[in-house]
Amino acid sequence: MPFYHRMGEVPKKRHTQFRKQDGSLYREQVMGTKGFSGIQSILYHHSAPTDIVKSDIYAPFMLEFEEQGALTCRHFLAGQYVDTGDAINGRHYMLGNEDILISVSNPTQTMDYYYRNGEGDELLFVHRGTGKVESMFGTLSYRPGDYIVIPVGTIYRIVPDPGESKFLNVETNSWISTPKRYRNEHGQLLEHSPFCERDIRLPETLEIHTDAGEHEVRTKTRGHLHSHIYNNHPFNVVGWDGYLYPYIFNIEDFEPITGRIHMPPPIHQTFEGNNFVVCSFVPRLFDYHPESIPSPYYHSNVDSDEVLYYVEGNFMSRKGVKEGSITLHPSGIPHGPHPGKIEASIGKKETLELAVMIDTFRPLRVVKRAAQLEDQNYPYSWVQK
């Protein structure tokens, strides 16, 4: 959801001399997407961003997926995953395909290194906890309900505050943006959009680190985590401007669209990427036609797999799901409300549910380790008893 922003010191004209007090030049870095035809920012460093003194492979990045089994709906009690760690090493991968990877984590430790996803943007949803995202573009403070959008190539680290912490993580091989139908030809969010630019939080402070010494940046790309040792701090940026930077949008600022009869899931869409969308289910008034059925109808995902991450509240169409649960409803078979949920919804005036939905347009595969958290009875929970 790019719009122009500037922080720190930048020269009057791009690609011109910009000097320090001692007369030496700051080092200009153009960081952009889609070659030179996408969005970009220009950063000015105390020392060159190429100042690497050692490169190595830190570890292979290879996930083991299940072999294809019977086509069925699945439920993972991801809220029961309690292992802690830092925001990267602590990711417990659940689902993935050629376009995205979905994981959960409980980041309680500050990263003692810096990280860069060299393959695509990342979307981190904060279920619980507070803390900071430190990056080359500045520092962002996060809280529960925040969607943290981190562009490809951004060097960052997560510094959680003490206490409980839980994230839902989406790693992509592409970009993340707002839905096209909510933007005009200039990129501005339109009046019918469920959120606008005022709801977006940008980096708050630009902390300039000029200290020398070795600093490790781990880069994910090409099936591995690569370790790069820099001779200077990676956050030695004195200023930047442009359209590419990390930002935060809180799910509480999503204004739901309602109607007289049940509205389809696209009204909840918040983000989109290559072959996937992300939707926000938030507290809202129910349909107000005198004969409306607020519960969703049965539907077939003929083109997409549907993933729901349950944040809080009583999800009106489901039984047996808990906070932190993840359900997967695959394309090819119908799904919908559990028995009794349709009738129970009639006459209700509002829902207080909070959930994140991810729809993918290529089939998702289940990571083998996710089976440890699976509810084996879920596929048959629609049987009327």
Side-chain angles (χ1 to χ4, degrees):
M1 212 260 341
F3 50 87
Y4 178 80
H5 190 60
R6 179 169 67 179
M7 292 191 77
E9 297 181 69
V10 299
K12 181 179 179 181
K13 195 82 172 173
R14 59 186 176 180
H15 317 323
T16 59
Q17 297 177 30
F18 183 29
R19 296 186 180 275
K20 307 176 190 177
Q21 287 188 348
D22 64 5
S24 61
L25 290 170
Y26 288 111
R27 301 305 178 187
E28 182 184 53
Q29 176 192 7
V30 177
M31 182 173 169
T33 61
K34 301 179 183 178
F36 288 91
S37 61
I39 61 172
Q40 68 179 35
S41 285
I42 300 178
L43 303 94
Y44 295 88
H45 297 259
H46 266 279
S47 56
T50 52
D51 192 9
I52 297 172
V53 296
K54 183 180 179 182
S55 299
D56 208 346
I57 289 180
Y58 176 76
F61 184 87
M62 300 292 290
L63 298 177
E64 287 190 81
F65 292 98
E66 295 179 350
E67 295 297 323
Q68 180 62 57
L71 187 67
T72 187
C73 298
R74 303 180 71 170
H75 174 208
F76 302 95
L77 297 163
Q80 294 183 3
Y81 176 68
V82 296
D83 290 1
T84 58
D86 68 44
I88 306 301
N89 289 334
R91 291 178 180 178
H92 185 81
Y93 288 90
M94 306 293 294
L95 304 163
N97 63 15
E98 301 91 336
D99 304 304
I100 68 169
L101 295 174
I102 300 171
S103 64
V104 294
S105 60
N106 303 305
T108 58
Q109 300 172 15
T110 295
M111 297 161 59
D112 59 2
Y113 56 93
Y114 301 88
Y115 180 72
R116 167 174 49 204
N117 190 326
E119 297 179 326
D121 291 1
E122 295 190 343
L123 178 68
L124 315 180
F125 176 77
V126 182
H127 188 166
R128 299 191 186 98
T130 59
K132 295 187 297 183
V133 181
E134 298 176 347
S135 82
M136 56 204 289
F137 293 96
T139 300
L140 284 156
S141 299
Y142 67 79
R143 60 183 176 86
D146 279 345
Y147 288 109
I148 307 169
V149 180
I150 303 176
V152 58
T154 299
I155 299 174
Y156 74 91
R157 73 169 183 165
I158 304 291
V159 182
D161 293 332
E164 189 179 12
S165 180
K166 182 174 288 293
F167 283 18
L168 171 71
N169 311 293
V170 179
E171 302 168 45
T172 81
N173 70 353
S174 65
W175 37 261
I176 292 172
S177 69
T178 52
K180 290 185 181 67
R181 67 181 180 280
Y182 292 142
R183 288 184 267 121
N184 64 23
E185 64 201 85
H186 305 289
Q188 184 178 15
L189 288 166
L190 295 164
E191 284 296 297
H192 67 286
S193 171
F195 55 96
C196 75
E197 288 81 359
R198 294 185 190 182
D199 301 316
I200 305 299
R201 301 192 336 253
L202 305 183
E204 301 146 10
T205 56
L206 184 64
E207 299 175 17
I208 305 166
H209 298 266
T210 59
D211 47 307
E214 294 188 349
H215 296 81
E216 183 185 18
V217 176
R218 295 179 191 168
T219 301
K220 178 195 162 197
T221 189
R222 296 168 173 81
H224 290 81
L225 285 174
H226 304 260
S227 174
H228 296 116
I229 305 300
Y230 283 76
N231 217 18
N232 291 280
H233 200 292
F235 300 162
N236 61 20
V237 174
V238 298
W240 62 269
D241 76 334
Y243 288 71
L244 187 73
Y245 45 80
Y247 65 87
I248 288 176
F249 169 70
N250 193 280
I251 197 170
E252 293 176 359
D253 290 320
F254 187 90
E255 300 299 337
I257 298 170
T258 59
R260 272 172 44 93
I261 57 175
H262 190 81
M263 305 291 283
I267 65 159
H268 305 286
Q269 188 182 345
T270 313
F271 301 104
E272 64 186 15
N274 184 43
N275 290 322
F276 73 92
V277 298
V278 177
C279 300
S280 302
F281 289 88
V282 302
R284 65 192 187 279
L285 295 178
F286 274 147
D287 323 316
Y288 48 91
H289 187 284
E291 296 184 7
S292 69
I293 300 177
S295 175
Y297 33 74
Y298 294 102
H299 52 286
S300 298
N301 293 359
V302 294
D303 291 322
S304 63
D305 283 6
E306 177 193 282
V307 174
L308 268 168
Y309 179 82
Y310 301 85
V311 181
E312 64 184 31
N314 183 15
F315 204 71
M316 68 169 171
S317 61
R318 293 282 175 269
K319 293 179 179 178
V321 297
K322 303 179 184 299
E323 288 190 8
S325 280
I326 291 176
T327 56
L328 169 63
H329 301 137
S331 59
I333 55 175
H335 71 277
H338 274 121
K341 287 292 187 177
I342 294 175
E343 291 80 3
S345 74
I346 296 173
K348 295 288 181 65
K349 300 300 182 185
E350 64 178 345
T351 175
L352 300 177
E353 68 198 23
L354 197 63
V356 175
M357 185 174 79
I358 304 165
D359 277 0
T360 67
F361 298 102
R362 283 200 272 196
L364 286 162
R365 301 177 66 190
V366 178
V367 179
K368 282 186 176 180
R369 288 181 64 199
Q372 304 166 5
L373 302 168
E374 186 162 11
D375 170 9
Q376 300 290 342
N377 296 318
Y378 186 74
Y380 315 108
S381 56
W382 282 266
V383 177
Q384 190 77 47
K385 296 179 181 179

